[in-house]
Amino acid sequence: QIDRALTACLTDSQPVYLETFEDIYTMPCAAPEGKLSAQPIISIPTNLKAAVNTAVAKITQSKQPVIWGGVEVQRLGIQEMFTHVVAQTGLPYATSLLGKSIISEDNPAYIGVFEGKSSSKAVQEYVANADCLIALGVLATDINLLGVTSDDLSGTAPWGDDLILASRDSVRVGTSYFAQVHLADFLEGLGAALAKQTLQRVELPTTNPMPTPEPNEVLTFDNFFNRMNTFVDDSMMVLADIGFSSFGAMNLNVQKSGFIAQAAWASIGYAVGAALGAKCARPELRPVVFSGDGSFHMTCQTLSTMVKEAQNPIIFVMNNGIYGIEQWLVNPKVFAGEGQVAPTNVLHRWEYSKLTDVFGGRGWCVSTIAQLDEALAEIQEDPNTLAVVDVRIEQLSFPEDLVWAVS
């Protein structure tokens, strides 16, 4: 039974849970034999061929198709296949938040994260104007489709007949469904078939670069993450807690497999603990964590283990004094000055930068761009030490990509 569970873990690239009675631990058992490996997922050849042909017909008839990459591409280890499809077609691609960084984001075809109505304006408009959305390994969660309604999904472009949805073991093209088609096989077949086609040249969306913030500017979510885009590099991995932090961090350009966020279950407090594990898995990279203050309250004692294990994460605590995403979900109009923050969403504000006096490491407290720049310079000069930065932000500041619910 244990072998069966572990084999399922390897096959599906997802966690499994083992539960045993207490007295089982001390009972004798046979020694393991051989090596466990993933079970092959076999596509039905006729279904695979039909899925590829139907998808190719849809794509070649489209004037503005766009690829939407998801986390299953990474889980199944088929990033190179995904890269090949992008290269062969010349089509622009976005990712879901959960699938962010499935391949390096310095790819010229990358247009950003598509996260429903919480995408950047340029990405949202581009996908809305697409006449074919090619979703490869995307999990259709409420986070990945934030603000998209059931009416949208039933027929409004690029949904309905304009959607190609290829998941781990099946493909849907419009209303046609093809069962037992493995995503890797579909990607391989799609890339080979589209290489023989002449697709219309698709214009990539243009974005206006954000202005460089002035030193005396008070920190907001937007100018903070704008500054982070010039700080984060390929020696780092980014972890963002769900909420305002993840919606700010999703527009950072990162390397392949360089971004982690809990965008499936939306569990706040995830990023700090995940940074501990991520550093163990990839010790050559320095974790950069963006955590809301409410999220940080959940798992802050992880700092103790990080210091004990001589880890060197950089943790930015976005200190606006409230559960910002909770308030946005309950009554976003508060951020437009209409009404008050609910008392249950108001936090007790800690002196976050002083927690390093207890756990170890170094701390900074910043409220302007100049103070942030000074802290970043000192952090880079001390690459082996845990750093906690208390980022003081005005209570009603929020990422621009969430304005659709506020206005």
Side-chain angles (χ1 to χ4, degrees):
Q1 290 179 328
I2 292 175
D3 284 357
R4 188 166 66 245
L6 294 177
T7 299
C9 175
L10 295 171
T11 302
D12 296 333
S13 301
Q14 291 182 309
V16 295
Y17 299 89
L18 303 176
E19 182 177 350
T20 65
F21 290 106
E22 186 175 355
D23 59 347
I24 293 292
Y25 293 124
T26 58
M27 293 179 66
C29 67
E33 294 183 8
K35 184 177 181 180
L36 298 179
S37 60
Q39 294 295 306
I41 301 175
I42 308 298
S43 297
I44 297 175
T46 53
N47 288 9
L48 172 61
K49 183 178 180 180
V52 170
N53 289 343
T54 307
V56 169
K58 176 61 185 173
I59 294 168
T60 53
Q61 293 168 8
S62 303
K63 295 181 179 179
Q64 186 174 306
V66 60
I67 296 171
W68 188 25
V71 69
E72 288 187 326
V73 171
Q74 182 187 52
R75 287 178 178 173
L76 296 174
I78 54 177
Q79 294 101 316
E80 294 307 315
M81 289 184 180
F82 182 88
T83 303
H84 181 68
V85 169
V86 171
Q88 288 284 55
T89 62
L91 295 178
Y93 81 94
T95 68
S96 65
L97 181 58
L98 197 59
K100 181 175 170 63
S101 80
I102 52 175
I103 63 176
S104 178
E105 294 174 354
D106 60 5
N107 190 304
Y110 178 65
I111 62 173
V113 172
F114 176 65
E115 195 73 4
K117 291 184 179 179
S118 294
S119 320
S120 69
K121 185 177 180 180
V123 173
Q124 189 176 158
E125 290 180 352
Y126 193 87
V127 173
N129 291 325
D131 55 356
C132 180
L133 181 61
I134 309 162
L136 303 174
V138 175
L139 300 180
T141 68
D142 54 352
I143 299 293
N144 283 339
L145 296 170
L146 199 60
V148 177
T149 67
S150 58
D151 289 339
D152 295 328
L153 295 175
S154 65
T156 306
W159 312 105
D161 291 341
D162 297 315
L163 176 64
I164 298 172
L165 180 62
S167 58
R168 176 187 300 268
D169 56 5
S170 65
V171 175
R172 196 192 98 193
V173 182
T175 56
S176 300
Y177 179 75
F178 307 92
Q180 202 168 326
V181 176
H182 190 234
L183 181 59
D185 295 336
F186 179 74
L187 274 178
E188 184 178 15
L190 186 67
L194 289 176
K196 302 174 184 178
Q197 304 291 326
T198 301
L199 300 178
Q200 296 187 46
R201 182 173 178 81
V202 178
E203 293 295 328
L204 295 176
T206 57
T207 57
N208 296 320
M210 294 184 67
T212 302
E214 296 295 328
N216 62 347
E217 281 187 36
V218 173
L219 288 171
T220 65
F221 277 97
D222 287 333
N223 65 17
F224 171 81
F225 281 105
N226 181 30
R227 176 65 181 87
M228 286 297 102
N229 233 344
T230 60
F231 175 71
V232 173
D233 60 31
D234 287 352
S235 69
M236 305 170 183
M237 66 178 115
V238 173
L239 300 98
D241 250 312
I242 202 69
F244 287 180
S245 295
S246 59
F247 289 111
M250 74 179 186
N251 294 320
L252 299 176
N253 283 334
V254 297
Q255 63 174 315
K256 176 183 174 182
S257 300
F259 183 88
I260 299 173
Q262 178 46 283
W265 301 107
S267 305
I268 66 171
Y270 172 85
V272 175
L276 174 66
K279 180 65 177 179
C280 293
R282 302 186 70 183
E284 75 281 5
L285 298 180
R286 189 173 193 183
V288 177
V289 179
F290 302 107
S291 177
D293 42 1
S295 298
F296 187 72
H297 281 200
M298 303 286 181
T299 50
C300 63
Q301 291 186 88
T302 307
L303 298 184
S304 177
T305 306
M306 289 171 165
V307 173
K308 177 177 178 287
E309 297 299 322
Q311 294 190 355
N312 62 342
I314 306 168
I315 300 172
F316 295 96
V317 182
M318 311 305 292
N319 181 1
N320 59 357
I322 61 172
Y323 285 114
I325 193 65
E326 297 293 337
Q327 182 60 54
W328 182 84
L329 290 168
V330 173
N331 180 13
K333 300 301 181 183
V334 166
F335 293 95
E338 301 177 20
Q340 302 293 319
V341 175
T344 52
N345 288 330
V346 177
L347 294 166
H348 172 57
R349 282 185 130 163
W350 300 355
E351 295 289 342
Y352 300 101
S353 62
K354 295 183 179 179
L355 289 177
T356 53
D357 293 343
V358 177
F359 294 118
R362 296 180 63 188
W364 291 262
C365 182
V366 301
S367 60
T368 66
I369 291 292
Q371 292 173 350
L372 175 62
D373 285 342
E374 183 177 344
L376 295 179
E378 293 178 5
I379 289 169
Q380 288 177 314
E381 291 172 358
D382 194 1
N384 298 316
T385 302
L386 176 143
V388 176
V389 184
D390 181 346
V391 183
R392 298 292 177 100
I393 292 180
E394 194 271 330
Q395 187 182 73
L396 298 183
S397 174
F398 64 94
E400 182 182 10
D401 291 342
L402 296 179
V403 72
W404 62 272
V406 174
S407 58

